[in-house]
Amino acid sequence: MRSSLSTAGRRASVLAAAALVSLTTAACGPADLQVGTAGAAGQAASSQAATDRPLAIGDAATAPSAAVPTPALTSAAPAPTTPAQTQPQAPVAQPTESQVEAVDEQQAAVPAEAAPGAPQAAAPAAPGRWSRDSSSGRSAGTSAAAPAPVAGAAAAPAAAGTSTGGSGGTFTDQARRSFTAGNGQAGNYLLYAAGVDPTKPVGLVVYVDGTGEYGVDNPTASYALGGSSGLVATSRARNMITLAVESPNQSCECWHTGDTSAYADFLAGLIENQLGKYPVSELWLSGFSSGAQEITRFLVPRHPELMRLGGGWVVFGGGGPPADGGSAVTAARMAGVRGHWFTGTADTSVPLTASWGAQAGERFYAGRGVVTSSEYPAGVGHALDGRLGRTVGQLIDAS
């Protein structure tokens, strides 16, 4: 199902490494918000702030609206490609963790969504990708030869059914806690493990929110985590733990500005910490807007070893190509990984066709062995609107 890197894919990779585009939005403040340059995979974060390039991104959370169409993905991902040569991946530095007795949970104001611009046509599906037509609602895809593995890449993804073998974690819902990574970055997280059966395969679903972190600050709201179709319920129904993480950058409650390399290391350290506590056999990442950019532009490019268990990601309102060029993202590392992008054609905060937007991100990862799929509905703006849990659940079921 994976495609060879096409001319368009190579062009998108070059564009992704070029200077990022400034875009003023009401939700994130001035147009000169900065994106730090991500370093090489697995490196410790620098003590100094990364060199920044301008990128403005709006993450206006809005109240949930009526139900929206959900993806109808029916094709399972192909068997993982075995790399020609492997070598062990260096682990993330062991962090420390402490329980927060009391956390000031001031509810973030919910800014109004930026006015939608003129709809733009979604790009046609490329070989090796699944795409959902915004008019028919059907998914379609064509297969292509998988890219050749890169010699000397990191170890191949674990075989199906393999677990981290982690132990010591309690299968309960846990109150907001604080985590400090080995690089000194600290942030809070919520963990939902009640009802998960450790005698069966256990999955881990990670969520990182958009600017303002409305979904994480309001975990019982149906906007993202709460409710019968929220991420916690849909993950639990699939015997998966939910880990919702707040950014260390609480000045904007966002992931895409400041020392982005250090934030990615923090998030990778927290995920590895949980993999060591629970017998996880499948990892899924999910994010909205700033959180979507964190996953595909910073976290996965800097820490591709996180995808060794397979699984994949689902990103909404963003999900561009790697900010560092993505040299560490290889077909061998991405074997068996799935990725799904949801961005409306009227999204003016993270425009669908921007060089740092969803289409460019999907093209890049499709060219690196990820089995990609997408929904680019006409007229939809920059809003999560309660679709998180349903969409993540359906992609997991289709994988």
Side-chain angles (χ1 to χ4, degrees):
M1 185 76 62
R2 300 180 183 84
S3 65
S4 298
L5 185 58
S6 63
T7 300
R10 288 193 296 271
R11 185 175 296 112
S13 298
V14 174
L15 292 175
L20 302 179
V21 181
S22 296
L23 178 64
T24 303
T25 63
C28 223
D32 60 350
L33 292 179
Q34 304 293 306
V35 175
T37 302
Q43 288 181 334
S46 169
S47 60
Q48 297 180 348
T51 302
D52 293 338
R53 292 186 177 184
L55 169 62
I57 176 174
D59 297 287
T62 58
S65 64
V68 296
T70 49
L73 306 175
T74 57
S75 174
T81 302
T82 303
Q85 182 178 354
T86 62
Q87 59 185 0
Q89 175 67 36
V92 175
Q94 287 297 318
T96 59
E97 180 180 9
S98 61
Q99 177 75 38
V100 170
E101 297 294 335
V103 176
D104 181 12
E105 299 182 33
Q106 296 180 346
Q107 179 172 318
V110 184
E113 180 182 347
Q120 299 167 339
R129 288 190 262 172
W130 284 93
S131 65
R132 179 172 178 172
D133 184 274
S134 60
S135 59
S136 68
R138 292 193 297 270
S139 295
T142 55
S143 60
V150 178
T162 300
S163 161
T164 59
S167 61
T170 59
F171 286 86
T172 59
D173 291 346
Q174 298 170 26
R176 203 171 300 257
R177 294 180 175 220
S178 176
F179 175 82
T180 301
N183 64 358
Q185 293 289 327
N188 298 325
Y189 70 92
L190 302 170
L191 190 135
Y192 299 86
V196 174
D197 186 351
T199 67
K200 299 177 181 179
V202 174
L204 177 64
V205 180
V206 179
Y207 178 63
V208 283
D209 212 344
T211 300
E213 300 183 327
Y214 177 83
V216 180
D217 287 344
N218 300 272
T220 61
S222 60
Y223 173 80
L225 300 178
S228 60
S229 61
L231 187 63
V232 173
T234 55
S235 298
R236 203 186 323 263
R238 291 161 177 79
N239 211 51
M240 293 184 168
I241 298 167
T242 301
L243 174 67
V245 188
E246 293 182 355
S247 170
N249 185 356
Q250 286 297 290
S251 62
C252 66
E253 293 186 280
C254 66
W255 296 89
H256 68 284
T257 68
D259 193 346
T260 55
S261 295
Y263 306 154
D265 291 347
F266 159 81
L267 184 55
L270 175 56
I271 292 172
E272 293 287 5
N273 179 268
Q274 300 304 315
L275 295 179
K277 289 183 176 181
Y278 297 95
V280 176
S281 59
E282 191 173 5
L283 175 65
W284 288 88
L285 309 172
S286 59
F288 169 59
S289 196
S290 181
Q293 301 293 65
E294 165 64 17
I295 290 170
T296 62
R297 289 181 62 72
F298 305 111
L299 179 65
V300 172
R302 190 166 172 82
H303 292 283
E305 74 278 0
L306 289 172
M307 306 316 300
R308 63 187 179 272
L309 298 173
W313 58 79
V314 184
V315 288
F316 302 84
D324 67 352
S327 61
V329 181
T330 64
R333 292 176 187 256
M334 296 295 107
V337 176
R338 297 202 62 164
H340 184 74
W341 282 256
F342 185 109
T343 294
T345 61
D347 190 330
T348 58
S349 295
V350 190
L352 180 61
T353 58
S355 63
W356 37 274
Q359 282 186 343
E362 184 183 3
R363 285 194 299 267
F364 173 86
Y365 282 101
R368 300 299 177 97
V370 175
V371 179
T372 68
S373 57
S374 59
E375 292 178 273
Y376 299 142
V380 173
H382 193 69
L384 190 56
D385 281 348
R387 58 174 64 92
L388 175 64
R390 297 193 307 273
T391 309
V392 172
Q394 289 197 350
L395 189 72
I396 292 174
D397 293 344
S399 65

